[in-house]
Amino acid sequence: MSHLTEHSPPVRYYQPAGLSVLFTPLPKGGPRPVLDLSYDLGPEHKLRFSAREALGVPEQTLLLALLGLAGEQYADRGNDAVVSAPDERTVAGRLWSGLYPDGGQGMPQTVMVRTTWEALNRRCGTVSGGSTIEMRKAGLRRLCEVVVWEEHAGRRTTRQSFLLVWVEGDDRQIHLALNHRLASVFFGGQYAKLWMTERLHLGTDLAMHVHAFLSTCMRPGGSLSIGPDTLAARVWPADHDTAPAGTKRRRRSQLKAALDAIGRLPHWTVHWEAGVGGAHKAVIRRSEGRGVRDMTRPAEARALVRVRGSVDLPVSTRCARPSTNDVCSLFRT
């Protein structure tokens, strides 16, 4: 079981990763589709993610576990957990060169993580064993194979990097580095707050997927009204609009069950209201039960002082605040 508790700090989640469909619930068995996804950061600024295999919910759980570890290790180790160019440390240098095929000159600093397979399994809510570790390795390989293309149309520039890079050191530990976009949440960038204790209480991949999406687009204290078909089109963007009526009914039922499961979490409420034409909408509220102490621990403050020389508390999430009726801004892929 995971050692995480209700008092564990939240994961800082890069918003485009949560608002895009970088991770999707995938059918059990069979070949995975190819990953080819674009996300608009601005009118002329785009991220494109590509890999030979799409990423499922277990890969999202693994990434969130790594982001949680990254935040804690950056808080505890300060500059020792930061990687930049040039870096004369052997492992850090290997990680940096792996992240950026062109050498990464001029790229922002990032964060590296040191861990073990057993610790990762606990973070993901599973016990360690040979088959579990092999499954975790397969998920980590998929994450490390994702190429991130950053395109500035106005500047006519394209930059290639990887989502993650992984090496195993002589100390028998796993060493990883995050793409600078993921790591920007530790250096003043926008982020969403997601609690792994909540995620691990949910019983299905679909509920975890929806929880991550809602945690990204809703601040604590916020609310959102959304219809099942609108949410289904976001979860299954490739074919929901053209899916057979029976498939749509099944998906609505699965989403209702997922939302009801989220509504049973301590800091969430979900109730259903009749909308126009009798269609029902889920009214979702996320409470403010978790305060700023969950966001910035004393050790984290000390690390920020060591790295940046000053600290402003509390750190704002600066999350997007969609209206309760218009969710168009959530689907920017």
PDB file of all heavy atoms in Angstrom, residues 84-118:
ATOM      1  N   SER A  84      20.859  21.490 -14.880  1.00  0.00           N
ATOM      2  CA  SER A  84      20.919  22.527 -15.909  1.00  0.00           C
ATOM      3  C   SER A  84      22.159  22.278 -16.757  1.00  0.00           C
ATOM      4  O   SER A  84      22.944  21.376 -16.490  1.00  0.00           O
ATOM      5  CB  SER A  84      20.963  23.930 -15.278  1.00  0.00           C
ATOM      6  OG  SER A  84      22.079  24.034 -14.403  1.00  0.00           O
ATOM      7  N   ALA A  85      22.322  23.068 -17.797  1.00  0.00           N
ATOM      8  CA  ALA A  85      23.502  22.930 -18.661  1.00  0.00           C
ATOM      9  C   ALA A  85      24.430  24.112 -18.433  1.00  0.00           C
ATOM     10  O   ALA A  85      23.981  25.249 -18.396  1.00  0.00           O
ATOM     11  CB  ALA A  85      23.081  22.879 -20.127  1.00  0.00           C
ATOM     12  N   PRO A  86      25.757  23.846 -18.313  1.00  0.00           N
ATOM     13  CA  PRO A  86      26.370  22.519 -18.227  1.00  0.00           C
ATOM     14  C   PRO A  86      26.311  21.992 -16.795  1.00  0.00           C
ATOM     15  O   PRO A  86      26.244  22.769 -15.850  1.00  0.00           O
ATOM     16  CB  PRO A  86      27.814  22.800 -18.640  1.00  0.00           C
ATOM     17  CG  PRO A  86      28.063  24.204 -18.161  1.00  0.00           C
ATOM     18  CD  PRO A  86      26.758  24.936 -18.305  1.00  0.00           C
ATOM     19  N   ASP A  87      26.305  20.672 -16.629  1.00  0.00           N
ATOM     20  CA  ASP A  87      26.280  20.045 -15.311  1.00  0.00           C
ATOM     21  C   ASP A  87      27.372  18.992 -15.288  1.00  0.00           C
ATOM     22  O   ASP A  87      27.339  18.033 -16.046  1.00  0.00           O
ATOM     23  CB  ASP A  87      24.917  19.420 -15.029  1.00  0.00           C
ATOM     24  CG  ASP A  87      24.680  19.193 -13.544  1.00  0.00           C
ATOM     25  OD1 ASP A  87      25.607  18.666 -12.875  1.00  0.00           O
ATOM     26  OD2 ASP A  87      23.595  19.540 -13.043  1.00  0.00           O
ATOM     27  N   GLU A  88      28.378  19.185 -14.417  1.00  0.00           N
ATOM     28  CA  GLU A  88      29.547  18.310 -14.410  1.00  0.00           C
ATOM     29  C   GLU A  88      29.324  17.033 -13.612  1.00  0.00           C
ATOM     30  O   GLU A  88      30.169  16.131 -13.642  1.00  0.00           O
ATOM     31  CB  GLU A  88      30.752  19.069 -13.859  1.00  0.00           C
ATOM     32  CG  GLU A  88      31.155  20.253 -14.732  1.00  0.00           C
ATOM     33  CD  GLU A  88      32.354  20.997 -14.175  1.00  0.00           C
ATOM     34  OE1 GLU A  88      32.803  20.639 -13.060  1.00  0.00           O
ATOM     35  OE2 GLU A  88      32.834  21.923 -14.845  1.00  0.00           O
ATOM     36  N   ARG A  89      28.216  16.910 -12.902  1.00  0.00           N
ATOM     37  CA  ARG A  89      27.921  15.669 -12.186  1.00  0.00           C
ATOM     38  C   ARG A  89      27.593  14.573 -13.199  1.00  0.00           C
ATOM     39  O   ARG A  89      26.854  14.807 -14.162  1.00  0.00           O
ATOM     40  CB  ARG A  89      26.753  15.876 -11.223  1.00  0.00           C
ATOM     41  CG  ARG A  89      27.058  16.844 -10.083  1.00  0.00           C
ATOM     42  CD  ARG A  89      25.794  17.162  -9.295  1.00  0.00           C
ATOM     43  NE  ARG A  89      24.820  17.897 -10.098  1.00  0.00           N
ATOM     44  CZ  ARG A  89      23.593  18.200  -9.690  1.00  0.00           C
ATOM     45  NH1 ARG A  89      23.187  17.801  -8.495  1.00  0.00           N
ATOM     46  NH2 ARG A  89      22.768  18.864 -10.485  1.00  0.00           N
ATOM     47  N   THR A  90      28.116  13.400 -12.997  1.00  0.00           N
ATOM     48  CA  THR A  90      28.016  12.338 -14.001  1.00  0.00           C
ATOM     49  C   THR A  90      26.571  12.000 -14.328  1.00  0.00           C
ATOM     50  O   THR A  90      26.159  12.026 -15.497  1.00  0.00           O
ATOM     51  CB  THR A  90      28.745  11.072 -13.517  1.00  0.00           C
ATOM     52  OG1 THR A  90      30.112  11.396 -13.267  1.00  0.00           O
ATOM     53  CG2 THR A  90      28.654   9.977 -14.575  1.00  0.00           C
ATOM     54  N   VAL A  91      25.777  11.675 -13.315  1.00  0.00           N
ATOM     55  CA  VAL A  91      24.396  11.275 -13.562  1.00  0.00           C
ATOM     56  C   VAL A  91      23.586  12.449 -14.091  1.00  0.00           C
ATOM     57  O   VAL A  91      22.816  12.316 -15.049  1.00  0.00           O
ATOM     58  CB  VAL A  91      23.758  10.696 -12.281  1.00  0.00           C
ATOM     59  CG1 VAL A  91      22.262  10.481 -12.468  1.00  0.00           C
ATOM     60  CG2 VAL A  91      24.440   9.384 -11.903  1.00  0.00           C
ATOM     61  N   ALA A  92      23.759  13.617 -13.480  1.00  0.00           N
ATOM     62  CA  ALA A  92      23.007  14.790 -13.928  1.00  0.00           C
ATOM     63  C   ALA A  92      23.331  15.130 -15.372  1.00  0.00           C
ATOM     64  O   ALA A  92      22.444  15.487 -16.165  1.00  0.00           O
ATOM     65  CB  ALA A  92      23.303  15.978 -13.017  1.00  0.00           C
ATOM     66  N   GLY A  93      24.609  15.026 -15.748  1.00  0.00           N
ATOM     67  CA  GLY A  93      24.992  15.303 -17.123  1.00  0.00           C
ATOM     68  C   GLY A  93      24.376  14.320 -18.100  1.00  0.00           C
ATOM     69  O   GLY A  93      23.942  14.699 -19.198  1.00  0.00           O
ATOM     70  N   ARG A  94      24.323  13.044 -17.723  1.00  0.00           N
ATOM     71  CA  ARG A  94      23.700  12.032 -18.587  1.00  0.00           C
ATOM     72  C   ARG A  94      22.204  12.317 -18.744  1.00  0.00           C
ATOM     73  O   ARG A  94      21.647  12.163 -19.842  1.00  0.00           O
ATOM     74  CB  ARG A  94      23.912  10.645 -17.994  1.00  0.00           C
ATOM     75  CG  ARG A  94      25.333  10.120 -18.103  1.00  0.00           C
ATOM     76  CD  ARG A  94      25.455   8.777 -17.406  1.00  0.00           C
ATOM     77  NE  ARG A  94      24.591   7.757 -18.024  1.00  0.00           N
ATOM     78  CZ  ARG A  94      24.358   6.572 -17.480  1.00  0.00           C
ATOM     79  NH1 ARG A  94      24.900   6.266 -16.294  1.00  0.00           N
ATOM     80  NH2 ARG A  94      23.586   5.695 -18.101  1.00  0.00           N
ATOM     81  N   LEU A  95      21.568  12.705 -17.653  1.00  0.00           N
ATOM     82  CA  LEU A  95      20.140  13.003 -17.722  1.00  0.00           C
ATOM     83  C   LEU A  95      19.880  14.193 -18.636  1.00  0.00           C
ATOM     84  O   LEU A  95      18.970  14.169 -19.468  1.00  0.00           O
ATOM     85  CB  LEU A  95      19.595  13.280 -16.321  1.00  0.00           C
ATOM     86  CG  LEU A  95      19.504  12.074 -15.387  1.00  0.00           C
ATOM     87  CD1 LEU A  95      19.183  12.523 -13.961  1.00  0.00           C
ATOM     88  CD2 LEU A  95      18.454  11.081 -15.872  1.00  0.00           C
ATOM     89  N   TRP A  96      20.665  15.237 -18.497  1.00  0.00           N
ATOM     90  CA  TRP A  96      20.464  16.435 -19.323  1.00  0.00           C
ATOM     91  C   TRP A  96      20.659  16.118 -20.804  1.00  0.00           C
ATOM     92  O   TRP A  96      19.840  16.514 -21.648  1.00  0.00           O
ATOM     93  CB  TRP A  96      21.407  17.547 -18.889  1.00  0.00           C
ATOM     94  CG  TRP A  96      21.177  18.829 -19.630  1.00  0.00           C
ATOM     95  CD1 TRP A  96      21.795  19.248 -20.776  1.00  0.00           C
ATOM     96  CD2 TRP A  96      20.227  19.847 -19.297  1.00  0.00           C
ATOM     97  NE1 TRP A  96      21.308  20.465 -21.177  1.00  0.00           N
ATOM     98  CE2 TRP A  96      20.340  20.858 -20.285  1.00  0.00           C
ATOM     99  CE3 TRP A  96      19.310  20.007 -18.268  1.00  0.00           C
ATOM    100  CZ2 TRP A  96      19.559  22.012 -20.265  1.00  0.00           C
ATOM    101  CZ3 TRP A  96      18.537  21.166 -18.245  1.00  0.00           C
ATOM    102  CH2 TRP A  96      18.663  22.144 -19.234  1.00  0.00           C
ATOM    103  N   SER A  97      21.723  15.404 -21.127  1.00  0.00           N
ATOM    104  CA  SER A  97      21.973  15.094 -22.543  1.00  0.00           C
ATOM    105  C   SER A  97      20.904  14.161 -23.095  1.00  0.00           C
ATOM    106  O   SER A  97      20.597  14.196 -24.285  1.00  0.00           O
ATOM    107  CB  SER A  97      23.366  14.480 -22.715  1.00  0.00           C
ATOM    108  OG  SER A  97      23.465  13.264 -21.990  1.00  0.00           O
ATOM    109  N   GLY A  98      20.310  13.317 -22.229  1.00  0.00           N
ATOM    110  CA  GLY A  98      19.228  12.466 -22.682  1.00  0.00           C
ATOM    111  C   GLY A  98      17.947  13.227 -22.942  1.00  0.00           C
ATOM    112  O   GLY A  98      17.175  12.871 -23.849  1.00  0.00           O
ATOM    113  N   LEU A  99      17.694  14.270 -22.157  1.00  0.00           N
ATOM    114  CA  LEU A  99      16.478  15.067 -22.339  1.00  0.00           C
ATOM    115  C   LEU A  99      16.494  15.842 -23.641  1.00  0.00           C
ATOM    116  O   LEU A  99      15.454  16.008 -24.282  1.00  0.00           O
ATOM    117  CB  LEU A  99      16.327  16.063 -21.181  1.00  0.00           C
ATOM    118  CG  LEU A  99      15.574  15.632 -19.929  1.00  0.00           C
ATOM    119  CD1 LEU A  99      15.609  16.753 -18.906  1.00  0.00           C
ATOM    120  CD2 LEU A  99      14.134  15.243 -20.238  1.00  0.00           C
ATOM    121  N   TYR A 100      17.668  16.338 -24.036  1.00  0.00           N
ATOM    122  CA  TYR A 100      17.750  17.275 -25.159  1.00  0.00           C
ATOM    123  C   TYR A 100      18.735  16.762 -26.208  1.00  0.00           C
ATOM    124  O   TYR A 100      19.953  16.885 -26.030  1.00  0.00           O
ATOM    125  CB  TYR A 100      18.168  18.659 -24.653  1.00  0.00           C
ATOM    126  CG  TYR A 100      17.233  19.180 -23.595  1.00  0.00           C
ATOM    127  CD1 TYR A 100      17.621  19.252 -22.259  1.00  0.00           C
ATOM    128  CD2 TYR A 100      15.937  19.569 -23.925  1.00  0.00           C
ATOM    129  CE1 TYR A 100      16.746  19.711 -21.284  1.00  0.00           C
ATOM    130  CE2 TYR A 100      15.057  20.024 -22.955  1.00  0.00           C
ATOM    131  CZ  TYR A 100      15.464  20.091 -21.635  1.00  0.00           C
ATOM    132  OH  TYR A 100      14.583  20.531 -20.676  1.00  0.00           O
ATOM    133  N   PRO A 101      18.242  16.191 -27.297  1.00  0.00           N
ATOM    134  CA  PRO A 101      19.135  15.663 -28.332  1.00  0.00           C
ATOM    135  C   PRO A 101      20.085  16.709 -28.906  1.00  0.00           C
ATOM    136  O   PRO A 101      21.163  16.362 -29.392  1.00  0.00           O
ATOM    137  CB  PRO A 101      18.152  15.149 -29.407  1.00  0.00           C
ATOM    138  CG  PRO A 101      16.885  14.864 -28.668  1.00  0.00           C
ATOM    139  CD  PRO A 101      16.818  15.902 -27.594  1.00  0.00           C
ATOM    140  N   ASP A 102      19.675  17.989 -28.876  1.00  0.00           N
ATOM    141  CA  ASP A 102      20.545  19.033 -29.442  1.00  0.00           C
ATOM    142  C   ASP A 102      21.479  19.640 -28.402  1.00  0.00           C
ATOM    143  O   ASP A 102      22.137  20.644 -28.681  1.00  0.00           O
ATOM    144  CB  ASP A 102      19.698  20.134 -30.099  1.00  0.00           C
ATOM    145  CG  ASP A 102      18.816  20.882 -29.093  1.00  0.00           C
ATOM    146  OD1 ASP A 102      18.812  20.514 -27.892  1.00  0.00           O
ATOM    147  OD2 ASP A 102      18.133  21.845 -29.496  1.00  0.00           O
ATOM    148  N   GLY A 103      21.549  19.039 -27.216  1.00  0.00           N
ATOM    149  CA  GLY A 103      22.441  19.550 -26.174  1.00  0.00           C
ATOM    150  C   GLY A 103      21.760  20.452 -25.158  1.00  0.00           C
ATOM    151  O   GLY A 103      22.289  20.696 -24.084  1.00  0.00           O
ATOM    152  N   GLY A 104      20.598  20.994 -25.517  1.00  0.00           N
ATOM    153  CA  GLY A 104      19.828  21.777 -24.559  1.00  0.00           C
ATOM    154  C   GLY A 104      20.409  23.125 -24.188  1.00  0.00           C
ATOM    155  O   GLY A 104      20.078  23.673 -23.129  1.00  0.00           O
ATOM    156  N   GLN A 105      21.238  23.684 -25.040  1.00  0.00           N
ATOM    157  CA  GLN A 105      21.782  25.004 -24.726  1.00  0.00           C
ATOM    158  C   GLN A 105      20.665  26.040 -24.662  1.00  0.00           C
ATOM    159  O   GLN A 105      19.831  26.126 -25.548  1.00  0.00           O
ATOM    160  CB  GLN A 105      22.821  25.423 -25.769  1.00  0.00           C
ATOM    161  CG  GLN A 105      24.104  24.617 -25.697  1.00  0.00           C
ATOM    162  CD  GLN A 105      24.810  24.763 -24.360  1.00  0.00           C
ATOM    163  OE1 GLN A 105      24.922  25.858 -23.822  1.00  0.00           O
ATOM    164  NE2 GLN A 105      25.268  23.644 -23.810  1.00  0.00           N
ATOM    165  N   GLY A 106      20.656  26.828 -23.601  1.00  0.00           N
ATOM    166  CA  GLY A 106      19.649  27.873 -23.442  1.00  0.00           C
ATOM    167  C   GLY A 106      18.329  27.387 -22.869  1.00  0.00           C
ATOM    168  O   GLY A 106      17.417  28.194 -22.660  1.00  0.00           O
ATOM    169  N   MET A 107      18.191  26.075 -22.610  1.00  0.00           N
ATOM    170  CA  MET A 107      16.955  25.557 -22.049  1.00  0.00           C
ATOM    171  C   MET A 107      16.900  25.814 -20.547  1.00  0.00           C
ATOM    172  O   MET A 107      17.929  25.847 -19.871  1.00  0.00           O
ATOM    173  CB  MET A 107      16.824  24.054 -22.332  1.00  0.00           C
ATOM    174  CG  MET A 107      16.783  23.717 -23.806  1.00  0.00           C
ATOM    175  SD  MET A 107      15.411  24.510 -24.668  1.00  0.00           S
ATOM    176  CE  MET A 107      14.026  23.574 -24.040  1.00  0.00           C
ATOM    177  N   PRO A 108      15.699  25.973 -19.994  1.00  0.00           N
ATOM    178  CA  PRO A 108      15.577  26.244 -18.552  1.00  0.00           C
ATOM    179  C   PRO A 108      16.022  25.042 -17.719  1.00  0.00           C
ATOM    180  O   PRO A 108      16.071  23.907 -18.192  1.00  0.00           O
ATOM    181  CB  PRO A 108      14.075  26.513 -18.362  1.00  0.00           C
ATOM    182  CG  PRO A 108      13.535  26.762 -19.721  1.00  0.00           C
ATOM    183  CD  PRO A 108      14.398  25.991 -20.669  1.00  0.00           C
ATOM    184  N   GLN A 109      16.323  25.310 -16.455  1.00  0.00           N
ATOM    185  CA  GLN A 109      16.699  24.239 -15.539  1.00  0.00           C
ATOM    186  C   GLN A 109      15.504  23.313 -15.294  1.00  0.00           C
ATOM    187  O   GLN A 109      14.351  23.668 -15.542  1.00  0.00           O
ATOM    188  CB  GLN A 109      17.163  24.835 -14.209  1.00  0.00           C
ATOM    189  CG  GLN A 109      16.082  25.618 -13.463  1.00  0.00           C
ATOM    190  CD  GLN A 109      16.630  26.327 -12.242  1.00  0.00           C
ATOM    191  OE1 GLN A 109      17.803  26.165 -11.892  1.00  0.00           O
ATOM    192  NE2 GLN A 109      15.807  27.117 -11.575  1.00  0.00           N
ATOM    193  N   THR A 110      15.827  22.131 -14.813  1.00  0.00           N
ATOM    194  CA  THR A 110      14.765  21.180 -14.502  1.00  0.00           C
ATOM    195  C   THR A 110      15.100  20.471 -13.198  1.00  0.00           C
ATOM    196  O   THR A 110      16.059  20.822 -12.507  1.00  0.00           O
ATOM    197  CB  THR A 110      14.565  20.189 -15.664  1.00  0.00           C
ATOM    198  OG1 THR A 110      13.413  19.401 -15.394  1.00  0.00           O
ATOM    199  CG2 THR A 110      15.759  19.284 -15.865  1.00  0.00           C
ATOM    200  N   VAL A 111      14.305  19.462 -12.846  1.00  0.00           N
ATOM    201  CA  VAL A 111      14.457  18.755 -11.575  1.00  0.00           C
ATOM    202  C   VAL A 111      14.690  17.286 -11.861  1.00  0.00           C
ATOM    203  O   VAL A 111      14.081  16.709 -12.771  1.00  0.00           O
ATOM    204  CB  VAL A 111      13.194  18.931 -10.698  1.00  0.00           C
ATOM    205  CG1 VAL A 111      13.272  18.067  -9.443  1.00  0.00           C
ATOM    206  CG2 VAL A 111      13.017  20.394 -10.317  1.00  0.00           C
ATOM    207  N   MET A 112      15.602  16.674 -11.084  1.00  0.00           N
ATOM    208  CA  MET A 112      15.811  15.233 -11.203  1.00  0.00           C
ATOM    209  C   MET A 112      15.316  14.539  -9.944  1.00  0.00           C
ATOM    210  O   MET A 112      15.214  15.135  -8.877  1.00  0.00           O
ATOM    211  CB  MET A 112      17.277  14.912 -11.472  1.00  0.00           C
ATOM    212  CG  MET A 112      18.261  15.306 -10.408  1.00  0.00           C
ATOM    213  SD  MET A 112      19.949  14.823 -10.910  1.00  0.00           S
ATOM    214  CE  MET A 112      20.903  15.495  -9.539  1.00  0.00           C
ATOM    215  N   VAL A 113      15.007  13.262 -10.109  1.00  0.00           N
ATOM    216  CA  VAL A 113      14.434  12.440  -9.051  1.00  0.00           C
ATOM    217  C   VAL A 113      15.303  11.208  -8.869  1.00  0.00           C
ATOM    218  O   VAL A 113      15.755  10.606  -9.850  1.00  0.00           O
ATOM    219  CB  VAL A 113      12.991  11.999  -9.423  1.00  0.00           C
ATOM    220  CG1 VAL A 113      12.402  11.120  -8.329  1.00  0.00           C
ATOM    221  CG2 VAL A 113      12.110  13.205  -9.679  1.00  0.00           C
ATOM    222  N   ARG A 114      15.519  10.832  -7.626  1.00  0.00           N
ATOM    223  CA  ARG A 114      16.251   9.603  -7.311  1.00  0.00           C
ATOM    224  C   ARG A 114      15.325   8.717  -6.486  1.00  0.00           C
ATOM    225  O   ARG A 114      14.803   9.142  -5.450  1.00  0.00           O
ATOM    226  CB  ARG A 114      17.515   9.933  -6.511  1.00  0.00           C
ATOM    227  CG  ARG A 114      18.391   8.728  -6.207  1.00  0.00           C
ATOM    228  CD  ARG A 114      19.673   9.176  -5.520  1.00  0.00           C
ATOM    229  NE  ARG A 114      19.385   9.811  -4.240  1.00  0.00           N
ATOM    230  CZ  ARG A 114      20.118  10.783  -3.706  1.00  0.00           C
ATOM    231  NH1 ARG A 114      21.151  11.277  -4.360  1.00  0.00           N
ATOM    232  NH2 ARG A 114      19.821  11.290  -2.523  1.00  0.00           N
ATOM    233  N   THR A 115      15.112   7.482  -6.937  1.00  0.00           N
ATOM    234  CA  THR A 115      14.157   6.623  -6.240  1.00  0.00           C
ATOM    235  C   THR A 115      14.476   5.162  -6.529  1.00  0.00           C
ATOM    236  O   THR A 115      15.486   4.832  -7.151  1.00  0.00           O
ATOM    237  CB  THR A 115      12.707   6.976  -6.646  1.00  0.00           C
ATOM    238  OG1 THR A 115      11.792   6.256  -5.817  1.00  0.00           O
ATOM    239  CG2 THR A 115      12.434   6.659  -8.098  1.00  0.00           C
ATOM    240  N   THR A 116      13.591   4.261  -6.076  1.00  0.00           N
ATOM    241  CA  THR A 116      13.715   2.829  -6.326  1.00  0.00           C
ATOM    242  C   THR A 116      12.379   2.317  -6.853  1.00  0.00           C
ATOM    243  O   THR A 116      11.342   2.978  -6.720  1.00  0.00           O
ATOM    244  CB  THR A 116      14.063   2.060  -5.040  1.00  0.00           C
ATOM    245  OG1 THR A 116      12.983   2.204  -4.098  1.00  0.00           O
ATOM    246  CG2 THR A 116      15.350   2.579  -4.416  1.00  0.00           C
ATOM    247  N   TRP A 117      12.390   1.115  -7.433  1.00  0.00           N
ATOM    248  CA  TRP A 117      11.143   0.535  -7.929  1.00  0.00           C
ATOM    249  C   TRP A 117      10.178   0.289  -6.776  1.00  0.00           C
ATOM    250  O   TRP A 117       8.968   0.489  -6.921  1.00  0.00           O
ATOM    251  CB  TRP A 117      11.423  -0.778  -8.668  1.00  0.00           C
ATOM    252  CG  TRP A 117      12.212  -0.587  -9.925  1.00  0.00           C
ATOM    253  CD1 TRP A 117      13.474  -1.044 -10.188  1.00  0.00           C
ATOM    254  CD2 TRP A 117      11.794   0.124 -11.093  1.00  0.00           C
ATOM    255  NE1 TRP A 117      13.869  -0.653 -11.446  1.00  0.00           N
ATOM    256  CE2 TRP A 117      12.860   0.067 -12.030  1.00  0.00           C
ATOM    257  CE3 TRP A 117      10.634   0.817 -11.447  1.00  0.00           C
ATOM    258  CZ2 TRP A 117      12.791   0.648 -13.283  1.00  0.00           C
ATOM    259  CZ3 TRP A 117      10.562   1.411 -12.694  1.00  0.00           C
ATOM    260  CH2 TRP A 117      11.635   1.320 -13.600  1.00  0.00           C
ATOM    261  N   GLU A 118      10.692  -0.132  -5.632  1.00  0.00           N
ATOM    262  CA  GLU A 118       9.816  -0.379  -4.489  1.00  0.00           C
ATOM    263  C   GLU A 118       9.132   0.901  -4.039  1.00  0.00           C
ATOM    264  O   GLU A 118       7.924   0.905  -3.738  1.00  0.00           O
ATOM    265  CB  GLU A 118      10.624  -0.993  -3.342  1.00  0.00           C
ATOM    266  CG  GLU A 118      11.127  -2.405  -3.584  1.00  0.00           C
ATOM    267  CD  GLU A 118      12.326  -2.471  -4.535  1.00  0.00           C
ATOM    268  OE1 GLU A 118      12.927  -1.405  -4.818  1.00  0.00           O
ATOM    269  OE2 GLU A 118      12.661  -3.578  -4.992  1.00  0.00           O
TER     270      GLU A 118
END
